[in-house]
Amino acid sequence: MNTASPGAQAPDALLEGAYRKTIWRMIPFIFICYLFNYLDRVNVGFAKLQMLDALQLSETVYGLGAGIFFIGYVLAGVPSNLILHKVGARRWIGTLMIVWGALSASLMFVSSAQSFYILRFFTGIAEAGFFPGMVLYFTHWFPAERRGRVMALFMSAIPISGVLGGPLSGWMLNHFQAGQGGLAAWQWLYLLQGLPTVLLGIAVYFVLHDNVAGVKWLSSAEKQAMQTALVEDEKRRSAGTVSVDSFASVLRNRNVWMLGAVYFSIQMGVYAINFWLPSIIKSLGFQNPAMIGWLSAIPYFAASIFMILVGRSADRRRERRWHLSVPMLMGFAGLLIATSFADSPALAILGLSIATMGALTGLPMFWPLPAAFLGSAAAAGGLALINSLGQIAGFVSPYLVGWLKDATGSTHVALYILSAVLFCGAMIVLSIPAKTVNR
């Protein structure tokens, strides 16, 4: 009989229990925060269905307004994450959410292209620190081998925001058509989807904790086990052959810029879907806003399931390249199907569903990769830099689609270009040596 077995298993059982507690305590609340973060960012796609006609704005103006958000986002990304590293997640994330929620609700006052641009720009500045801040926050709680599943749970808020936000936005546009309270339906949409973010920002001050040591719902032994796991994870990363130890070396490291290019390609597909999906569905012959809302939920619902399954598979197999590149290739193929069969609503929606499943799943599958390159000294600035490089696509993608739609009368050419970008990104991922990222 092996009498050492129970004692050897006890620390593992303790650690597993600590992670389960942590996930259930933290992730549902952070999930809701990210859901409203994404909803506030992309609800302009539904508001567009009525706002453009009401304000007599062109598709190009809409594309620029949707994209200018990301100029502010990119400019503020690194400074915001460095501030979070100094003051702590609880205070900084809470403050950011209150500010961007108020700015998002203020889009109801847009009356011209200029006011649209200004509010979107400053909303982007306020939102910039949230996502890279949460990626950094997770590194203070979970080692690299557990972050694939955690990131998938966290980022499933993106497709869920589409599942819930599409029908909700469509209902709002229908319900408030009469202009209740002196506001148009698109104004009600901004107001009612922005205010909850302010309330969640206040709640952050009371719910989040900056690190493992500060929580009361873990025992001393559980805290010690989690902290030991984090120390061991940092030692493994520091021993990596491409580890980056400072922000200055991040700027000089070609692998970080390569990862930024991969993230850029993923986001080109993601934001094409997020900002233009309602308009693409409308172009298939559907005019009722409520119907457009329900149909837009289909691709996001499929993506929410697929994202979780792929995240679990990636962690279980400890494989990263194919779990990222295959979803990116799905995004490539799905956009081609949606564009090639635009005269068949069923096939077009199938293509959009495949594209959404692939592109959105690429987001959480990407983020374990930088952990293989960045040491703790570089994580705050490095993660924000990679995120900012990717978010440039948030400007390029919607503006490109809007400009080409005005120039050609359809979104076909733009979607072909975006699918090609996703394909190139997948090829870059497959060029990375497996031993570098499969951890």
Side-chain angles (χ1 to χ4, degrees), residues 314-386:
D315 278 356
R316 184 172 63 253
R317 299 172 186 271
R318 296 199 175 189
E319 198 288 323
R320 303 299 175 186
R321 291 192 314 155
W322 287 104
H323 282 83
L324 173 57
S325 58
V326 169
M328 292 176 69
L329 292 172
M330 288 174 59
F332 156 73
L335 288 177
L336 288 183
I337 294 170
T339 307
S340 302
F341 296 95
D343 56 345
S344 172
L347 287 176
I349 291 175
L350 174 63
L352 289 171
S353 298
I354 294 172
T356 305
M357 291 166 65
L360 266 64
T361 298
L363 294 175
M365 292 303 97
F366 169 80
W367 283 105
L369 269 65
F373 295 90
L374 302 179
S376 58
L383 292 173
L385 175 61
I386 291 171

Side-chain angles (χ1 to χ4, degrees), residues 89-291:
R90 183 176 59 85
R91 285 189 291 172
W92 188 239
I93 294 296
T95 301
L96 292 180
M97 292 186 67
I98 292 169
V99 173
W100 99 58
L103 287 169
S104 183
S106 296
L107 282 164
M108 64 185 286
F109 299 117
V110 165
S111 59
S112 65
Q114 289 73 21
S115 58
F116 184 43
Y117 297 155
I118 291 169
L119 278 171
R120 287 286 294 176
F121 176 78
F122 283 104
T123 305
I125 288 177
E127 284 197 30
F130 179 79
F131 178 76
M134 293 315 313
V135 175
L136 176 63
Y137 185 63
F138 289 144
T139 67
H140 298 161
W141 293 82
F142 302 98
E145 67 268 16
R146 293 180 181 269
R147 260 176 250 145
R149 181 187 176 193
V150 170
M151 286 299 298
L153 289 170
F154 169 55
M155 297 191 73
S156 64
I158 298 177
I160 294 297
S161 72
V163 173
L164 300 178
L168 178 63
S169 298
W171 175 83
M172 287 179 177
L173 293 179
N174 259 359
H175 181 75
F176 292 106
Q177 278 188 32
Q180 291 93 323
L183 300 177
W186 62 270
Q187 292 175 302
W188 277 109
L189 186 151
Y190 284 131
L191 176 63
L192 295 178
Q193 294 184 6
L195 288 181
T197 301
V198 176
L199 299 177
L200 285 168
I202 295 171
V204 164
Y205 292 107
F206 303 98
V207 176
L208 289 190
H209 299 270
D210 287 330
N211 50 53
V212 176
V215 301
K216 297 180 179 179
W217 33 265
L218 290 173
S219 68
S220 298
E222 289 171 329
K223 291 179 186 179
Q224 182 61 47
M226 289 182 66
Q227 289 169 331
T228 299
L230 290 171
V231 170
E232 291 176 353
D233 179 59
E234 178 60 26
K235 288 179 180 177
R236 287 193 297 269
R237 288 195 291 156
S238 298
T241 58
V242 291
S243 180
V244 182
D245 299 317
S246 69
F247 185 56
S249 59
V250 167
L251 295 175
R252 296 191 300 268
N253 192 280
R254 64 178 294 275
N255 293 300
V256 173
W257 293 96
M258 177 184 66
L259 289 172
V262 172
Y263 197 49
F264 175 87
S265 68
I266 297 170
Q267 293 285 30
M268 284 289 281
V270 168
Y271 285 118
I273 293 166
N274 287 335
F275 287 120
W276 290 94
L277 184 60
S279 297
I280 293 171
I281 292 175
K282 184 177 181 179
S283 71
L284 297 176
F286 301 97
Q287 300 299 318
N288 184 279
M291 177 59 70

